[in-house]
Amino acid sequence: MSEPLTVRARLAAPVDAVRRALTDPAELRVWLAEHAEVELPDRYEFWGRYTPEGDAPHQRLRHADERTLRFAWTLDGVETTTEFELTPGGEDTVLTLRQSHFDFAEAMSGSSIRGALQTFWALSIANLAAHVEGKPLLPRTDFTSAELRAELLIDAPVERVWTSLTDSEQASAWFGFPIGIEPWVGGRYAMGGFESGYAAKVIDLEPGRKISVDWGPTGVSNWELAGSGGKTRLTLVQSGFDEGNPPYAAWTGTVAGLYELRRFHEVPDWQPIWLSEELPTSA
C-alpha cells in the first residue's frame, strides 16, 4: 500500500541559504542531480544518472514561495507529489520533505523505482546538509550503473571507526535504526535488532580492517578501513546481486547513513540532524 513519506531534518544554515540551495540550478547540480533547470515560478526540473528514471526531466512545478516548494514527479508511470517546507530557526533551518506514493513493499522487492524514494531523499538531504555546511558530499547513487561503490574519509582513528561499525549500540545510534551485530564470522547482522526475525550473516571479518555481510538476494556488503595520519578511509562495496535489478533502495540508504557516521566521529556533542515528526520549538 502506498504511504505518505515525511522526513524532517535540522540543517546548520539560515533559511535563505537553504532556499537558495533548493532553487538555484547550479547548486542543485552539486548536491542533487547531474542536470537541473529552474525558472520560478514556472519550471523546476532535475534529471541525469543520479536521479531515478533520470533519462529526462519528469517534474512539473505546482507551487513555489519563500518557504514552500511543491512539484509533481512522474515515476514508473505514476504522478507523485514532492514538497519541501522550510521553517527558520535562527542560524538553523528545519526542512520538512513530504513525498507521496512511497510503498515500503516496493522498496523491499525492487518492483518499482518508487521504492527508492525514501532512501533517495535521505541521501539527497544528507548531501544538502553537507553542501550548506561546506562539507564533503557523500557519493550519489548512479541509477544507470550496477557498480555500487562508495568511499568516505573520516577524521577519526581507524580503531574508533571500527568500533562504531561493529558495536550494536554505536551502530544503532549513528544509523538511527536498531542494528544487532555479532562481530565474528558466522555471526548475525540484524537490521531492526536481533528480535526482528531476520538477520544477514557475517561471512568475513578481519578486526580493525574489514567486515563482509551477506544479505542474500541483495548481495554482499564489504566494508574496508584504512588508517593514515589519525584519519580513516572507509570503502564500501556491494556485490553479488542481480545486475539487471540492482538494490538501489538499500544501497542508497546505506550510503545516506554514512553522513551520520562521519558526524558521529567529527562533531562534538553529536546529535543527528534527523528529527521526529513532532516539530521541535525553534531555539
Side-chain angles (χ1 to χ4, degrees):
M1 178 181 294
S2 178
E3 308 165 11
L5 172 67
T6 301
V7 178
R8 287 191 174 95
R10 186 181 295 278
L11 309 183
V15 68
D16 289 345
V18 176
R19 186 181 187 278
R20 185 168 58 250
L22 279 171
T23 56
D24 182 277
E27 294 201 39
L28 286 169
R29 294 179 202 123
V30 173
W31 65 268
L32 178 63
E34 186 178 15
H35 309 291
E37 295 296 339
V38 178
E39 296 175 5
L40 300 180
D42 302 312
R43 184 184 186 193
Y44 191 88
E45 298 176 337
F46 55 91
W47 70 101
R49 57 193 173 127
Y50 304 130
T51 302
E53 288 193 345
D55 57 306
H58 298 296
Q59 299 82 26
R60 178 170 54 84
L61 185 61
R62 287 180 169 173
H63 176 80
D65 59 32
E66 292 302 308
R67 297 290 179 264
T68 306
L69 178 71
R70 186 183 311 114
F71 55 88
W73 183 8
T74 299
L75 286 167
D76 200 13
V78 174
E79 185 175 88
T80 77
T81 299
T82 306
E83 180 181 274
F84 286 103
E85 180 183 352
L86 305 180
T87 303
E91 291 302 308
D92 293 342
T93 301
V94 172
L95 179 148
T96 302
L97 166 80
R98 300 180 181 93
Q99 174 67 61
S100 73
H101 293 82
F102 170 70
D103 190 332
F104 188 72
E106 291 177 343
M108 296 298 292
S109 67
S111 59
S112 171
I113 194 61
R114 292 189 304 273
L117 279 169
Q118 182 181 36
T119 55
F120 169 77
W121 283 124
L123 177 55
S124 297
I125 293 170
N127 272 334
L128 171 59
H131 172 65
V132 296
E133 291 182 23
K135 302 293 186 181
L137 270 64
L138 300 168
R140 291 178 284 182
T141 298
D142 184 344
F143 289 93
T144 69
S145 174
E147 181 180 3
L148 304 182
R149 179 186 179 89
E151 290 190 3
L152 183 71
L153 185 65
I154 301 172
D155 190 6
V158 68
E159 297 82 6
R160 286 178 53 201
V161 177
W162 173 259
T163 299
S164 66
L165 288 174
T166 57
D167 176 81
S168 298
E169 184 176 351
Q170 290 193 28
S172 298
W174 62 259
F175 197 73
F177 190 71
I179 305 177
I181 305 171
E182 294 174 338
W184 56 80
V185 174
R188 294 173 295 169
Y189 195 106
M191 297 298 292
F194 293 129
E195 297 77 28
S196 64
Y198 170 79
K201 183 179 180 181
V202 178
I203 58 172
D204 192 14
L205 185 142
E206 296 180 31
R209 180 178 176 271
K210 180 174 72 172
I211 181 170
S212 299
V213 180
D214 187 350
W215 297 93
T218 57
V220 174
S221 299
N222 186 60
W223 307 68
E224 291 193 11
L225 305 180
S228 179
K231 298 184 179 182
T232 301
R233 182 165 297 279
L234 169 63
T235 301
L236 173 61
V237 177
Q238 189 85 358
S239 61
F241 49 82
D242 175 8
E243 294 193 358
N245 187 25
Y248 290 129
W251 168 259
T252 305
T254 300
V255 177
L258 300 182
Y259 178 72
E260 289 295 358
L261 171 63
R262 184 172 64 192
R263 294 183 72 252
F264 181 79
H265 290 284
E266 296 183 354
V267 176
D269 301 319
W270 168 82
Q271 292 291 327
I273 67 167
W274 309 107
L275 303 173
S276 66
E277 291 195 11
E278 198 63 38
L279 190 65
T281 302
S282 298

